[in-house]
Amino acid sequence: GDSVTQMEGPVTLSEEAFLTINCTYTATGYPSLFWYVQYPGEGLQLLLKATKADDKGSNKGFEATYRKETTSFHLEKGSVQVSDSAVYFCALRAFRSSASKIIFGSGTRLSIRP
Amino acid sequence: GAVVSQHPSRVICKSGTSVKIECRSLDFQATTMFWYRQFPKKSLMLMATSNEGSKATYEQGVEKDKFLINHASLTLSTLTVTSAHPEDSSFYICSITGTSGGSQETQYFGPGTRLLVL
């Protein structure tokens, strides 16, 4: 079945460091891919998304490129800030339909040191 | 964008009692709502898809009689945890699909309800 695998955390970095959180997926067809972020004490928020191969999603300095050849959607940021400390979830939706469920990865906890 | 609310945000109950959690869509008429469960330091697990006017669709391994879902209107879905036990303690999150900035569909999540069963 469809699944998402992302790197296990926690990940601890210093401020202004480069961030990569790996994410790979298994799905039939052409899924839409997402990164969600959960800040401490808050609900999930959509960070960015990509709906087809080679699309690049970006938001708040974060980027991820839909790579169909490697079935990956790695999250990157060139210079992290303390405020980026959160849990990040990679996810996919198998069909472009509002009724299709979203499948989440296990989440990666990111902590940024000042 | 869409706003999804949940009530209560936190509930503590005794083992054997039933707890009802409400999920409201404030900006969209949602024919479909999703209920997730999140264990501590774990990912979200889809429990069921709530369909307005019809029965919910449950994921494999989720007990229908244990987790009753009612999608009473286009803006309200409820999840009732019946005869709750300590192992039901978890963070329950609902979500809806809405449209933002054109035709792109986006999933919006509620803030979650933390259930603690003593």
Side-chain angles (χ1 to χ4, degrees):
Chain A
D2 299 334
S3 66
V4 176
T5 303
Q6 63 182 103
M7 66 186 289
E8 290 190 17
V11 174
T12 303
L13 296 172
S14 296
E15 203 166 20
E16 299 183 1
F18 183 85
L19 168 71
T20 299
I21 301 178
N22 290 336
C23 172
T24 57
Y25 68 91
T26 301
T28 54
Y30 301 91
S32 293
L33 303 175
F34 308 86
W35 276 100
Y36 283 87
V37 58
Q38 187 175 30
Y39 297 103
E42 298 184 15
L44 264 74
Q45 301 174 29
L46 177 65
L47 180 61
L48 54 84
K49 65 180 180 181
T51 57
K52 61 182 187 293
D54 299 325
D55 267 3
K56 177 186 284 187
S58 61
N59 186 26
K60 298 181 181 180
F62 291 89
E63 293 183 340
T65 301
Y66 190 144
R67 302 285 188 198
K68 188 161 180 62
E69 63 276 13
T70 55
T71 62
S72 65
F73 193 54
H74 304 321
L75 181 68
E76 296 182 336
K77 185 171 184 180
S79 177
V80 293
Q81 305 300 314
V82 173
S83 58
D84 293 327
S85 298
V87 181
Y88 293 81
F89 294 92
C90 186
L92 69 82
R93 186 164 66 204
F95 300 99
R96 297 177 194 177
S97 162
S98 62
S100 296
K101 60 187 180 185
I102 288 185
I103 296 171
F104 288 87
S106 57
T108 302
R109 184 174 298 276
L110 174 66
S111 296
I112 306 300
R113 295 188 299 255
Chain B
V3 176
V4 182
S5 69
Q6 284 186 237
H7 177 80
S9 59
R10 186 186 302 261
V11 57
I12 301 173
C13 70
K14 293 182 179 180
S15 184
T17 60
S18 294
V19 175
K20 180 184 286 188
I21 302 170
E22 292 185 349
C23 174
R24 291 183 184 275
S25 170
L26 302 183
D27 287 352
F28 290 99
Q29 292 187 321
T31 55
T32 303
M33 292 185 177
F34 302 91
W35 284 98
Y36 291 86
R37 182 174 178 178
Q38 186 179 24
F39 294 94
K41 299 183 179 181
K42 298 288 185 181
S43 185
L44 280 74
M45 179 192 76
L46 180 66
M47 299 174 64
T49 303
S50 172
N51 305 299
E52 190 269 338
S54 64
K55 292 182 179 180
T57 304
Y58 289 82
E59 295 299 301
Q60 192 172 11
V62 178
E63 298 177 59
K64 301 178 182 181
D65 297 331
K66 174 82 174 165
F67 300 98
L68 300 179
I69 291 173
N70 181 266
H71 198 141
S73 72
L74 290 172
T75 59
L76 173 65
S77 176
T78 60
L79 168 67
T80 301
V81 183
T82 62
S83 187
H85 291 283
E87 57 265 30
D88 298 325
S89 299
S90 193
F91 196 53
Y92 293 88
I93 303 170
C94 71
S95 75
I96 65 166
T97 301
T99 302
S100 66
S103 61
Q104 291 295 316
E105 293 178 336
T106 301
Q107 197 107 355
Y108 297 94
F109 288 84
T113 297
R114 187 166 299 283
L115 170 64
L116 176 62
V117 184
L118 302 177

